[in-house]
């Protein structure tokens, strides 16, 4: 088992014993830098084997990994480090290195004896970030117990075994990327990491590596469907393609199936509860998010009481894979109701199938990433020409949702200038697809922006 190949990256191949030895070696280096049990270590890394080694090294020392998006800029990173209370840093990001001392993953790692270790089940394992309604990133705390439960649920949903082969292009800081890596290792399967997404590279890897399970967020699914030479690639090794992070676009999924014969399944989860529902592998209904795990309920948004089957309400879940809470801690209070995690998603159960119809929260979900309108608004308000603004989401065939910014100006300014301002301060997925200029922002007497009114007046479904 220890000599079985489990990880590939470019022309490098690693066995399980090499992964363990390099993780142990990196743990020794971190220990020499002062990392101790109970501390938090920031990890800001691209998709690469050293990310896997770093997370396992941190766990070997009894510390927890604070996963930071490699697309974040210094303001986001600085706030995240403050929220999480990070004590040390490791990664390959010059942004992180500019904020605090960082052990570079580009440095050679000396393998060490991978002595067995047993993490404390209720100790923090990872902190991943999810933007809150305040616009500032919240850290989602997963213990080793909750993360292990999420891995078990995902492995069962995927039907993953030691004979499976998966490639991973999603960011390792996102719960989906992390979950895929951990589940592959748990199953004794094989994975290829890609530094970044490239459709031709991905299709060649399916053919050459005989990939059996393919993950596809909406942009990847669209790239597959629109590839002019898709039929020339041998995709016969695939058992299915998993549509993740956003609702399935049926026309895109159907196009791929018609051209390749490969079917799809879909799943639904959050950073707080990684797996909430999944389509059975032999019975996919892509107009739903699948069949829920045990202990999922629908409650009235008015009374908080469970509703009858078929009635719409907020989706709540009580699961052993649920997060331990948020940082800052005060953000946790409204996240649970009598032990049930409040997803903020609106939906209903249809003969045992879960359907999502809307979101209770005002968050915008772009390619699986949550975007807080107020975060973008705060940047826009920093421009002297902006008198008022409000940000909202509209349905988008490719990304799930697209960001639209409505701006009322005090003096002339171009959309290009405002877009450049946002691009210089926020991650690319937070940039508005469109900036519309409006006479005024409608607000309640309390000052709350009427985003629904703006969406009705200025929003439109994006087909780009």
């Amino acid at each position: 088992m220890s000599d079985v190949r489990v990880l590939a990256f470019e022309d490098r191949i690693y066995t399980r014993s090499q992964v363990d030895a390099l993780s142990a070696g990196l743990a020794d280096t971190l220990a020499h830098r002062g990392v101790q049990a109970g501390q938090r270590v920031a990890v800001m890394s691209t998709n690469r084997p050293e990310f896997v080694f770093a997370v396992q090294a941190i766990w070997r020392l009894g510390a927890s990994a604070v996963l930071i998006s490699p697309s974040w800029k210094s303001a986001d990173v600085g706030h995240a480090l403050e929220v999480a209370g990070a004590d040390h840093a490791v990664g390959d990001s010059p942004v992180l290195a500019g904020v605090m001392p960082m052990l570079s993953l580009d440095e050679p790692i000396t393998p060490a004896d991978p002595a067995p270790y047993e993490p404390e089940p209720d100790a923090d394992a990872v902190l991943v970030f999810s933007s809150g309604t305040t616009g500032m990133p919240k850290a989602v705390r997963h213990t080793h117990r909750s993360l292990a439960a999420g891995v078990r649920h995902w492995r069962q949903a995927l039907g993953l075994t030691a004979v499976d082969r998966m490639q991973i292009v999603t960011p390792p800081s996102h719960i989906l990327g992390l979950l895929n890596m951990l589940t592959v290792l748990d199953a004794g399967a094989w994975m290829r990491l890609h530094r970044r997404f490239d459709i031709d590279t991905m299709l060649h890897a399916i053919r050459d590596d005989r990939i059996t399970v393919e993950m596809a967020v909406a942009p990847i699914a669209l790239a597959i469907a629109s590839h002019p030479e898709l039929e020339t690639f041998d995709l016969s090794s695939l058992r299915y393609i998993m549509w993740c992070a956003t609702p399935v676009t049926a026309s895109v999924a159907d196009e791929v199936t018609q051209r390749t014969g490969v079917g799809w399944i879909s799943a639904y989860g959050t950073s707080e509860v990684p797996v909430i529902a999944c389509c059975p592998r032999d019975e996919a209904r892509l107009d739903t998010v699948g069949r829920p795990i045990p202990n999922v309920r629908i409650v009235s948004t008015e009374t908080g009481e469970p509703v009858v089957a078929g009635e719409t309400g907020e989706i709540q879940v009580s699961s052993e894979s649920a997060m331990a809470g948020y940082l800052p801690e005060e953000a946790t209070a409204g996240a649970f109701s009598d032990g049930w995690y409040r997803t903020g998603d609106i939906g209903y159960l249809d003969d045992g199938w879960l359907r999502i119809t809307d979101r209770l929260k005002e968050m915008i979900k772009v390619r699986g990433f949550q975007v807080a309108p107020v975060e973008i608004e705060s940047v826009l308000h920093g421009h002297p020409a902006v008198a008022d603004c409000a940000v909202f989401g509209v349905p988008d065939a490719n990304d799930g949702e697209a960001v639209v910014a409505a701006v009322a100006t005090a003096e002339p300014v171009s959309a290009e200038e405002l877009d450049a301002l946002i691009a210089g301060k926020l991650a690319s997925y937070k940039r508005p697809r469109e900036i519309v200029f409006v006479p005024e922002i409608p607000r309640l007497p309390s000052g709350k922006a009427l985003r629904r009114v703006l969406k009705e007046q200025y929003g439109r479904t994006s087909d780009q």
Side-chain angles (χ1 to χ4, degrees), residues 344-418:
D345 290 322
I346 303 299
Y348 64 97
L349 285 169
D350 175 13
D351 194 25
W353 296 86
L354 183 62
R355 298 180 182 271
I356 298 176
T357 59
D358 204 347
R359 268 195 297 283
L360 186 62
K361 303 173 185 177
E362 294 180 338
M363 301 300 295
I364 306 167
K365 201 166 187 178
V366 180
R367 301 193 301 274
F369 295 96
Q370 292 190 81
V371 178
V374 71
E375 187 177 13
I376 303 169
E377 291 162 4
S378 66
V379 174
L380 288 169
H381 276 299
H383 195 289
V386 174
D388 200 2
C389 62
V391 171
F392 55 94
V394 297
D396 180 85
N398 299 339
D399 296 337
E401 284 188 296
V403 178
V404 177
V407 176
T409 60
E411 58 188 69
V413 64
S414 68
E416 291 76 13
E417 183 176 346
L418 295 178

Coordinates of all heavy atoms in Angstrom, one line a residue, residues 344-418:
G344 N -29.4 29.0 4.7 CA -29.8 30.3 4.0 C -30.3 30.0 2.6 O -30.7 30.9 1.9
D345 N -30.4 28.7 2.2 CA -31.0 28.4 0.9 C -32.4 28.0 1.0 O -32.8 27.4 2.1 CB -30.2 27.2 0.3 CG -28.8 27.6 -0.2 OD1 -28.6 28.7 -0.7 OD2 -27.9 26.8 0.0
I346 N -33.2 28.4 0.1 CA -34.6 28.1 0.1 C -34.9 26.9 -0.9 O -34.4 26.9 -2.0 CB -35.5 29.3 -0.3 CG1 -35.2 30.5 0.6 CG2 -37.0 29.0 -0.3 CD1 -35.5 30.2 2.1
G347 N -35.7 26.0 -0.5 CA -36.0 24.8 -1.3 C -37.1 24.0 -0.8 O -37.8 24.4 0.2
Y348 N -37.3 22.8 -1.4 CA -38.3 21.9 -0.9 C -37.9 20.5 -1.3 O -37.1 20.2 -2.2 CB -39.7 22.2 -1.5 CG -39.8 22.1 -3.0 CD1 -40.3 21.0 -3.6 CD2 -39.4 23.2 -3.8 CE1 -40.4 20.9 -5.0 CE2 -39.5 23.1 -5.2 CZ -40.0 22.0 -5.8 OH -40.1 21.9 -7.2
L349 N -38.6 19.5 -0.6 CA -38.3 18.1 -0.9 C -39.4 17.6 -1.8 O -40.6 17.8 -1.6 CB -38.3 17.3 0.4 CG -37.0 17.4 1.2 CD1 -37.2 16.8 2.6 CD2 -35.9 16.8 0.5
D350 N -39.0 17.0 -2.9 CA -40.0 16.4 -3.9 C -39.8 14.9 -4.0 O -38.9 14.4 -4.7 CB -39.7 17.1 -5.3 CG -40.5 16.6 -6.4 OD1 -41.5 15.8 -6.1 OD2 -40.2 16.9 -7.6
D351 N -40.6 14.2 -3.3 CA -40.5 12.7 -3.3 C -39.1 12.2 -3.0 O -38.6 11.3 -3.6 CB -41.0 12.2 -4.6 CG -41.3 10.7 -4.6 OD1 -41.5 10.2 -3.5 OD2 -41.1 10.0 -5.6
G352 N -38.5 12.9 -2.0 CA -37.2 12.5 -1.6 C -36.0 13.1 -2.3 O -34.8 12.9 -1.9
W353 N -36.3 14.0 -3.3 CA -35.3 14.7 -4.0 C -35.3 16.2 -3.5 O -36.4 16.7 -3.3 CB -35.6 14.7 -5.5 CG -35.5 13.3 -6.1 CD1 -36.5 12.4 -6.2 CD2 -34.3 12.7 -6.7 NE1 -36.0 11.2 -6.8 CE2 -34.7 11.4 -7.1 CE3 -33.0 13.1 -6.9 CZ2 -33.8 10.5 -7.7 CZ3 -32.1 12.2 -7.5 CH2 -32.5 11.0 -7.9
L354 N -34.1 16.7 -3.4 CA -34.0 18.1 -2.8 C -33.9 19.1 -4.0 O -33.1 18.9 -4.9 CB -32.8 18.2 -1.9 CG -32.6 19.6 -1.2 CD1 -33.8 19.9 -0.3 CD2 -31.3 19.5 -0.4
R355 N -34.7 20.1 -4.0 CA -34.7 21.2 -5.0 C -34.4 22.5 -4.3 O -35.0 22.8 -3.2 CB -36.0 21.2 -5.7 CG -36.4 20.0 -6.5 CD -37.7 20.1 -7.3 NE -38.1 18.9 -8.0 CZ -37.7 18.7 -9.2 NH1 -37.0 19.6 -9.9 NH2 -38.1 17.6 -9.8
I356 N -33.6 23.3 -4.9 CA -33.3 24.6 -4.4 C -33.9 25.7 -5.3 O -33.7 25.6 -6.5 CB -31.7 24.9 -4.3 CG1 -31.1 23.8 -3.3 CG2 -31.4 26.3 -3.8 CD1 -29.6 23.9 -3.2
T357 N -34.6 26.6 -4.7 CA -35.3 27.6 -5.5 C -34.8 29.0 -5.4 O -34.9 29.9 -6.3 CB -36.8 27.6 -5.2 OG1 -37.0 27.9 -3.8 CG2 -37.4 26.3 -5.4
D358 N -34.1 29.3 -4.3 CA -33.7 30.7 -4.0 C -32.7 30.7 -2.8 O -32.4 29.6 -2.3 CB -34.9 31.6 -3.7 CG -34.7 33.0 -4.0 OD1 -33.5 33.4 -4.2 OD2 -35.6 33.8 -4.0
R359 N -32.2 31.9 -2.5 CA -31.4 32.0 -1.3 C -32.0 33.0 -0.3 O -32.3 34.1 -0.8 CB -29.9 32.3 -1.6 CG -29.1 31.1 -1.8 CD -27.6 31.4 -1.8 NE -27.2 32.3 -2.9 CZ -27.1 31.8 -4.2 NH1 -27.3 30.5 -4.4 NH2 -26.7 32.6 -5.1
L360 N -32.0 32.7 0.9 CA -32.5 33.6 1.9 C -31.5 34.8 2.1 O -31.9 35.9 2.3 CB -32.7 32.8 3.3 CG -33.4 33.6 4.4 CD1 -34.8 34.0 4.0 CD2 -33.4 32.7 5.7
K361 N -30.3 34.5 2.0 CA -29.3 35.5 2.2 C -29.1 36.3 0.9 O -29.5 35.9 -0.1 CB -27.9 34.8 2.6 CG -28.0 34.0 3.9 CD -26.7 33.2 4.1 CE -26.9 32.3 5.3 NZ -25.6 31.5 5.5
E362 N -28.4 37.4 1.0 CA -28.2 38.2 -0.1 C -26.8 37.9 -0.8 O -26.4 38.6 -1.7 CB -28.2 39.7 0.3 CG -29.6 40.2 0.8 CD -29.6 41.6 1.2 OE1 -28.5 42.1 1.5 OE2 -30.7 42.2 1.1
M363 N -26.2 36.9 -0.3 CA -24.9 36.5 -0.9 C -25.0 36.2 -2.4 O -26.1 35.6 -2.8 CB -24.3 35.4 -0.2 CG -24.0 35.6 1.3 SD -22.9 37.0 1.6 CE -21.4 36.3 0.9
I364 N -24.0 36.5 -3.2 CA -24.0 36.1 -4.6 C -23.0 35.0 -4.7 O -21.9 35.0 -4.2 CB -23.5 37.3 -5.4 CG1 -24.4 38.5 -5.2 CG2 -23.5 37.0 -6.9 CD1 -23.8 39.8 -5.7
K365 N -23.4 33.9 -5.4 CA -22.5 32.7 -5.5 C -22.0 32.6 -6.9 O -22.8 32.3 -7.9 CB -23.3 31.4 -5.1 CG -22.4 30.3 -4.8 CD -23.2 29.2 -4.1 CE -22.2 28.1 -3.5 NZ -23.0 27.0 -2.8
V366 N -20.7 32.9 -7.1 CA -20.1 32.9 -8.4 C -19.1 31.7 -8.5 O -18.1 31.7 -7.7 CB -19.3 34.2 -8.6 CG1 -18.6 34.2 -10.0 CG2 -20.2 35.4 -8.5
R367 N -19.4 30.7 -9.4 CA -18.5 29.6 -9.5 C -18.3 28.8 -8.2 O -17.2 28.3 -8.0 CB -17.2 29.9 -10.2 CG -17.4 30.6 -11.6 CD -16.1 30.6 -12.3 NE -15.0 31.4 -11.6 CZ -14.8 32.7 -11.7 NH1 -15.7 33.4 -12.4 NH2 -13.9 33.3 -11.1
G368 N -19.3 28.9 -7.3 CA -19.1 28.2 -6.0 C -18.5 29.1 -4.9 O -18.5 28.7 -3.8
F369 N -18.0 30.3 -5.3 CA -17.5 31.2 -4.3 C -18.5 32.2 -3.9 O -19.2 32.8 -4.7 CB -16.3 32.0 -4.9 CG -15.1 31.1 -5.2 CD1 -14.9 30.6 -6.5 CD2 -14.2 30.7 -4.3 CE1 -13.8 29.8 -6.8 CE2 -13.1 29.9 -4.6 CZ -12.9 29.5 -5.8
Q370 N -18.6 32.4 -2.6 CA -19.6 33.4 -2.1 C -19.0 34.8 -2.2 O -17.9 35.1 -1.8 CB -20.0 33.1 -0.7 CG -20.7 31.8 -0.5 CD -21.3 31.6 0.9 OE1 -22.3 32.2 1.2 NE2 -20.6 30.9 1.7
V371 N -19.8 35.7 -2.7 CA -19.4 37.1 -2.9 C -20.4 38.0 -2.1 O -21.6 37.9 -2.2 CB -19.4 37.6 -4.3 CG1 -19.1 39.0 -4.5 CG2 -18.5 36.7 -5.1
A372 N -19.8 38.8 -1.2 CA -20.7 39.7 -0.3 C -20.8 41.0 -1.0 O -19.8 41.7 -1.3 CB -20.0 39.9 1.0
P373 N -22.1 41.4 -1.3 CA -22.3 42.7 -2.0 C -21.6 43.9 -1.3 O -21.0 44.8 -2.0 CB -23.8 42.9 -2.0 CG -24.3 41.4 -2.0 CD -23.4 40.7 -1.2
V374 N -21.7 43.9 0.0 CA -21.2 45.1 0.7 C -19.7 45.2 0.6 O -19.1 46.4 0.7 CB -21.6 45.0 2.2 CG1 -20.8 43.9 2.9 CG2 -21.3 46.4 2.9
E375 N -19.0 44.1 0.3 CA -17.5 44.2 0.1 C -17.2 45.0 -1.1 O -16.3 45.8 -1.2 CB -16.9 42.8 0.1 CG -15.4 42.8 0.1 CD -14.8 41.4 0.1 OE1 -15.6 40.5 -0.1 OE2 -13.6 41.3 0.3
I376 N -17.9 44.7 -2.2 CA -17.7 45.5 -3.5 C -18.2 46.9 -3.3 O -17.6 47.9 -3.8 CB -18.5 44.8 -4.6 CG1 -18.0 43.3 -4.7 CG2 -18.2 45.5 -5.9 CD1 -18.8 42.4 -5.6
E377 N -19.3 47.1 -2.6 CA -19.9 48.4 -2.4 C -18.9 49.3 -1.6 O -18.8 50.5 -1.9 CB -21.2 48.3 -1.6 CG -22.3 47.7 -2.5 CD -23.5 47.2 -1.6 OE1 -23.4 47.4 -0.4 OE2 -24.4 46.6 -2.2
S378 N -18.2 48.7 -0.7 CA -17.2 49.5 0.1 C -16.1 50.0 -0.8 O -15.6 51.1 -0.6 CB -16.7 48.7 1.3 OG -15.9 47.6 0.8
V379 N -15.7 49.2 -1.8 CA -14.6 49.7 -2.7 C -15.2 50.8 -3.6 O -14.5 51.8 -3.8 CB -14.1 48.5 -3.6 CG1 -13.2 49.0 -4.6 CG2 -13.5 47.5 -2.7
L380 N -16.4 50.6 -4.1 CA -17.0 51.6 -5.0 C -17.2 52.9 -4.2 O -16.9 54.0 -4.8 CB -18.3 51.1 -5.5 CG -18.2 50.0 -6.6 CD1 -19.6 49.5 -6.9 CD2 -17.6 50.6 -7.9
H381 N -17.6 52.9 -3.0 CA -17.8 54.1 -2.2 C -16.5 54.8 -2.0 O -16.5 56.0 -1.6 CB -18.4 53.7 -0.8 CG -19.9 53.6 -0.9 ND1 -20.7 54.6 -1.2 CD2 -20.7 52.5 -0.6 CE1 -22.0 54.2 -1.2 NE2 -22.0 52.9 -0.8
G382 N -15.4 54.2 -2.2 CA -14.1 54.8 -2.0 C -13.7 55.7 -3.2 O -12.7 56.5 -3.1
H383 N -14.5 55.7 -4.3 CA -14.2 56.6 -5.4 C -15.0 57.9 -5.2 O -16.2 57.9 -5.0 CB -14.7 55.9 -6.7 CG -14.1 56.5 -8.0 ND1 -14.6 57.8 -8.4 CD2 -13.2 56.2 -8.8 CE1 -13.9 58.1 -9.5 NE2 -13.1 57.2 -9.8
P384 N -14.4 59.0 -5.4 CA -15.0 60.3 -5.2 C -16.2 60.6 -6.1 O -17.1 61.4 -5.7 CB -13.9 61.3 -5.4 CG -12.9 60.6 -6.2 CD -13.0 59.2 -5.8
A385 N -16.3 59.9 -7.2 CA -17.4 60.2 -8.1 C -18.7 59.4 -7.8 O -19.8 59.7 -8.3 CB -17.0 59.9 -9.6
V386 N -18.6 58.4 -6.9 CA -19.7 57.5 -6.5 C -20.5 58.1 -5.4 O -19.9 58.3 -4.2 CB -19.2 56.1 -6.2 CG1 -20.4 55.3 -5.7 CG2 -18.5 55.5 -7.4
A387 N -21.7 58.5 -5.6 CA -22.6 59.0 -4.6 C -23.3 57.9 -3.8 O -23.4 58.0 -2.6 CB -23.6 60.0 -5.2
D388 N -23.6 56.9 -4.5 CA -24.3 55.7 -3.8 C -24.1 54.5 -4.7 O -23.9 54.7 -6.0 CB -25.7 56.0 -3.5 CG -26.3 55.2 -2.5 OD1 -25.6 54.3 -1.9 OD2 -27.6 55.3 -2.2
C389 N -24.3 53.3 -4.2 CA -24.2 52.1 -5.0 C -24.8 51.0 -4.3 O -25.0 51.0 -3.0 CB -22.8 51.8 -5.3 SG -21.7 51.5 -3.9
A390 N -25.2 49.9 -5.0 CA -25.7 48.7 -4.5 C -25.3 47.6 -5.4 O -25.4 47.8 -6.7 CB -27.2 48.7 -4.2
V391 N -25.0 46.4 -4.9 CA -24.5 45.3 -5.7 C -25.5 44.1 -5.5 O -25.9 43.9 -4.4 CB -23.1 44.9 -5.3 CG1 -22.7 43.6 -6.0 CG2 -22.1 46.0 -5.7
F392 N -25.8 43.4 -6.6 CA -26.7 42.3 -6.6 C -26.3 41.3 -7.6 O -25.4 41.5 -8.4 CB -28.1 42.7 -6.8 CG -28.3 43.5 -8.1 CD1 -28.7 42.8 -9.3 CD2 -28.2 44.8 -8.2 CE1 -28.9 43.5 -10.5 CE2 -28.4 45.5 -9.4 CZ -28.7 44.9 -10.5
G393 N -26.9 40.1 -7.5 CA -26.5 39.0 -8.4 C -27.7 38.7 -9.4 O -28.8 38.9 -9.0
V394 N -27.3 38.2 -10.6 CA -28.3 37.8 -11.5 C -28.0 36.4 -12.0 O -26.8 36.0 -12.0 CB -28.4 38.7 -12.7 CG1 -28.9 40.1 -12.3 CG2 -27.1 38.8 -13.5
P395 N -28.9 35.6 -12.4 CA -28.6 34.2 -12.9 C -27.7 34.3 -14.1 O -27.8 35.2 -14.9 CB -30.0 33.7 -13.3 CG -31.0 34.5 -12.5 CD -30.4 35.9 -12.4
D396 N -26.7 33.3 -14.1 CA -25.8 33.3 -15.2 C -25.6 31.8 -15.6 O -25.3 30.9 -14.7 CB -24.4 33.9 -14.7 CG -23.4 33.8 -15.8 OD1 -23.3 34.7 -16.6 OD2 -22.6 32.8 -15.8
A397 N -25.7 31.5 -16.8 CA -25.6 30.1 -17.3 C -24.3 29.5 -17.1 O -24.2 28.3 -16.9 CB -25.9 30.1 -18.8
N398 N -23.2 30.3 -17.0 CA -21.9 29.7 -16.9 C -21.4 29.6 -15.4 O -20.9 28.6 -15.0 CB -20.9 30.6 -17.7 CG -21.1 30.6 -19.1 OD1 -21.8 29.7 -19.7 ND2 -20.6 31.6 -19.8
D399 N -21.7 30.7 -14.7 CA -21.1 30.8 -13.3 C -22.1 30.6 -12.2 O -21.7 30.8 -11.0 CB -20.4 32.2 -13.2 CG -19.2 32.3 -14.1 OD1 -18.7 31.3 -14.6 OD2 -18.9 33.5 -14.4
G400 N -23.3 30.3 -12.5 CA -24.3 30.2 -11.4 C -25.0 31.6 -11.2 O -26.2 31.7 -11.3
E401 N -24.2 32.6 -10.9 CA -24.6 34.0 -10.8 C -23.5 34.9 -11.3 O -22.4 34.5 -11.3 CB -25.0 34.3 -9.3 CG -26.3 33.8 -8.8 CD -26.6 34.3 -7.4 OE1 -25.9 34.1 -6.5 OE2 -27.6 35.0 -7.3
A402 N -24.0 36.1 -11.7 CA -23.0 37.1 -12.1 C -23.3 38.3 -11.3 O -24.4 38.6 -10.8 CB -23.2 37.5 -13.6
V403 N -22.2 39.1 -11.0 CA -22.3 40.3 -10.1 C -22.6 41.5 -11.0 O -22.0 41.7 -12.0 CB -21.0 40.5 -9.4 CG1 -21.0 41.8 -8.6 CG2 -20.6 39.3 -8.5
V404 N -23.6 42.3 -10.5 CA -24.0 43.5 -11.2 C -23.9 44.6 -10.1 O -24.4 44.5 -9.0 CB -25.4 43.5 -11.8 CG1 -25.8 44.8 -12.4 CG2 -25.5 42.4 -12.8
A405 N -23.3 45.7 -10.5 CA -23.2 46.9 -9.6 C -24.0 48.0 -10.1 O -23.8 48.5 -11.3 CB -21.7 47.3 -9.4
A406 N -24.9 48.5 -9.3 CA -25.7 49.7 -9.7 C -25.1 50.9 -9.0 O -24.9 50.9 -7.8 CB -27.2 49.6 -9.3
V407 N -24.8 52.0 -9.8 CA -24.0 53.1 -9.2 C -24.7 54.4 -9.6 O -25.1 54.6 -10.7 CB -22.6 53.1 -9.8 CG1 -21.8 54.4 -9.4 CG2 -21.8 51.9 -9.5
A408 N -24.9 55.2 -8.5 CA -25.4 56.6 -8.7 C -24.2 57.5 -8.5 O -23.4 57.4 -7.5 CB -26.5 56.9 -7.7
T409 N -24.0 58.4 -9.5 CA -22.7 59.2 -9.5 C -23.0 60.7 -9.0 O -24.1 61.2 -9.3 CB -22.1 59.2 -10.8 OG1 -23.0 59.8 -11.8 CG2 -21.7 57.8 -11.2
A410 N -21.9 61.3 -8.5 CA -22.0 62.7 -8.1 C -21.3 63.5 -9.2 O -21.5 64.7 -9.3 CB -21.2 62.9 -6.8
E411 N -20.5 62.8 -10.0 CA -19.8 63.5 -11.1 C -19.5 62.4 -12.2 O -19.5 61.2 -11.9 CB -18.5 64.1 -10.7 CG -17.5 63.2 -10.0 CD -16.3 63.9 -9.3 OE1 -16.6 64.7 -8.3 OE2 -15.2 63.8 -9.8
P412 N -19.1 62.8 -13.4 CA -18.9 61.8 -14.4 C -17.8 60.8 -14.1 O -16.7 61.2 -13.6 CB -18.6 62.6 -15.7 CG -19.2 63.9 -15.4 CD -19.1 64.1 -13.9
V413 N -18.0 59.5 -14.4 CA -17.0 58.5 -14.2 C -17.3 57.4 -15.2 O -18.5 57.1 -15.4 CB -16.8 58.0 -12.8 CG1 -18.1 57.4 -12.3 CG2 -15.7 57.1 -12.6
S414 N -16.4 56.7 -15.7 CA -16.7 55.6 -16.6 C -16.7 54.2 -15.9 O -16.2 54.1 -14.8 CB -15.6 55.5 -17.7 OG -14.3 55.1 -17.1
A415 N -17.5 53.3 -16.5 CA -17.5 51.9 -15.9 C -16.2 51.3 -15.9 O -15.8 50.5 -15.0 CB -18.5 51.1 -16.7
E416 N -15.3 51.6 -16.9 CA -14.0 51.0 -17.0 C -13.1 51.5 -15.8 O -12.4 50.7 -15.2 CB -13.3 51.4 -18.3 CG -13.9 50.7 -19.5 CD -15.3 51.4 -19.9 OE1 -15.6 52.5 -19.4 OE2 -16.0 50.7 -20.8
E417 N -13.3 52.7 -15.4 CA -12.5 53.3 -14.3 C -12.9 52.6 -13.0 O -12.1 52.2 -12.2 CB -12.6 54.8 -14.2 CG -11.8 55.4 -13.1 CD -11.9 56.9 -13.1 OE1 -12.4 57.5 -14.1 OE2 -11.5 57.5 -12.1
L418 N -14.2 52.4 -12.8 CA -14.7 51.8 -11.6 C -14.3 50.3 -11.6 O -13.9 49.7 -10.5 CB -16.2 51.9 -11.5 CG -16.7 53.3 -11.3 CD1 -18.2 53.4 -11.2 CD2 -16.1 54.0 -10.0

